[in-house]
Amino acid sequence: MAAGCVQLSRPLCSQILASVDTLLFDCDGVLWRGESPIPGAVQLINRLQEQGKRVFFLTNNSTKSRQMYGEKLRALGFQARPEQVFGTAPCSALYLRQEARLQASVYLIGGATLRGELQTQGIACSGSGPGPELTPGPGPMQVWAAEPLDPAVGAVLVGFDEHFTYMKLCRATRYLQNPACIFLATNTDTLLPLEGGGVPGTGCLVKAIEAASNRTAHVIGKPSSFMFECMVKEHGINPSRTVMVGDRLDTDILMGSNCGLRTILTLTGVSTLEEARAHQESNSPDRHKLVPSFYVESIADLLPALD
């Protein structure tokens, strides 16, 4: 059985907080649900910073910019600045400019925030927004299969797109028939949990394009390590003195494991303690990466250790 998945008592929590300089927090399900903060979350984040801890906020949501997240955090009462937020939209643009050194344009399946982040990095893009409607009959499909492609496109970037269509699937697939075309995804979350239910997430769009193109996307968001690497470069974070706090085993906790961080699962969001225990008791090394170092019922459970 894998080690870890220890409930944080007050003495242990005090020990953990004393051993770290930096805390990384997922947002939805950890700090808030919908438009309401988790009880005690605002006090915890603000007191951590008052006591000299560095706090950062990580999100796989590609529809909101750092500025937008900063505004939401402040509106809910959190002490936060946009530069403390790391999301898949700015990090995707940074990857294409700094890592891939893309000189071509991007075929974008995604919204205005992703388009704006690409433009900030000086990267041209097409495809964002509503596309033409599919009309009945074989004609349009034959046209789409034969239409000229933009020779300037050198990458396909997939984020959340409420205007995703069959036409966009066709066009992305055709660009990706070129092995030199970069295939990038903001994240692979298949479900967006919402109050009262959930809706399909970006991962569903990514899987459709992967299936059609027989290609595998390079993923920017959690559980990939790239967002954390961006934070290390920008802020000089020491992994040995950093802890990741999240509510999802397959994104937050796995990213922490991939980056060599200690992890804390909070049970106010998606994943359950039973799921974590099942991974812990398995014989699979891959599943052991989904086991948190520690867990709490809520991040408010960390508050007494700051007294």
Side-chain angles (χ1 to χ4, degrees), residues 25-27 56-67 69 82-95 113-114 117 185-187 220-222 226-228 230-231 234:
F25 289 90
D26 178 50
C27 297
F56 296 95
F57 309 97
L58 277 68
T59 174
N60 273 357
N61 188 338
S62 67
T63 68
K64 289 183 172 62
S65 66
R66 298 177 94 172
Q67 186 66 38
Y69 260 95
E83 56 266 30
Q84 291 174 268
V85 179
F86 283 80
T88 54
C91 288
S92 294
L94 282 173
Y95 179 88
T113 297
L114 264 178
E117 294 290 353
T186 59
N187 64 290
I220 293 298
K222 300 172 290 185
F226 185 71
M227 281 203 294
F228 181 69
C230 290
M231 298 173 67
E234 191 169 323

Side-chain angles (χ1 to χ4, degrees), residues 26-28 30 58-61 88 186-193 203 219-225 227-228 244-259 261 263-265 270-271 279 289-291:
D26 178 50
C27 297
D28 196 10
V30 176
L58 277 68
T59 174
N60 273 357
N61 188 338
T88 54
T186 59
N187 64 290
T188 54
D189 299 41
T190 55
L191 181 70
L192 297 179
V219 181
I220 293 298
K222 300 172 290 185
S224 166
S225 62
M227 281 203 294
F228 181 69
M244 174 71 207
V245 186
D247 70 308
R248 292 185 66 139
L249 299 173
D250 60 344
T251 55
D252 307 317
I253 302 307
L254 183 54
M255 188 211 78
S257 297
N258 289 338
C259 297
L261 311 178
T263 56
I264 300 174
L265 173 69
V270 174
S271 297
H279 291 307
K289 294 179 181 179
L290 298 164
V291 179

Side-chain angles (χ1 to χ4, degrees), residues 92-239:
S92 294
L94 282 173
Y95 179 88
L96 288 169
R97 174 56 72 218
Q98 297 180 2
E99 301 296 321
R101 302 192 181 280
L102 182 72
Q103 300 299 316
S105 68
V106 172
Y107 181 67
L108 174 62
I109 293 177
T113 297
L114 264 178
R115 183 172 64 246
E117 294 290 353
L118 291 173
Q119 291 169 346
T120 296
Q121 293 297 324
I123 300 173
C125 65
S126 61
S128 180
E133 294 293 328
L134 175 62
T135 55
M141 291 188 186
Q142 292 174 346
V143 170
W144 291 346
E147 69 173 346
L149 296 177
D150 182 354
V153 169
V156 171
L157 171 58
V158 184
F160 185 78
D161 190 343
E162 62 186 4
H163 300 295
F164 186 70
T165 62
Y166 184 79
M167 181 274 288
K168 290 188 177 187
L169 173 62
C170 290
R171 193 167 291 171
T173 301
R174 294 186 64 219
Y175 280 121
L176 291 170
Q177 289 174 354
N178 176 3
C181 184
I182 297 167
F183 185 13
L184 199 66
T186 59
N187 64 290
T188 54
D189 299 41
T190 55
L191 181 70
L192 297 179
L194 302 171
E195 292 181 299
V199 296
T202 301
C204 299
L205 313 186
V206 176
K207 285 181 181 294
I209 297 168
E210 285 182 332
S213 66
N214 198 29
R215 296 271 304 269
T216 300
H218 180 78
V219 181
I220 293 298
K222 300 172 290 185
S224 166
S225 62
F226 185 71
M227 281 203 294
F228 181 69
E229 292 165 6
C230 290
M231 298 173 67
V232 170
K233 288 180 182 178
E234 191 169 323
H235 296 281
I237 293 171
N238 179 354

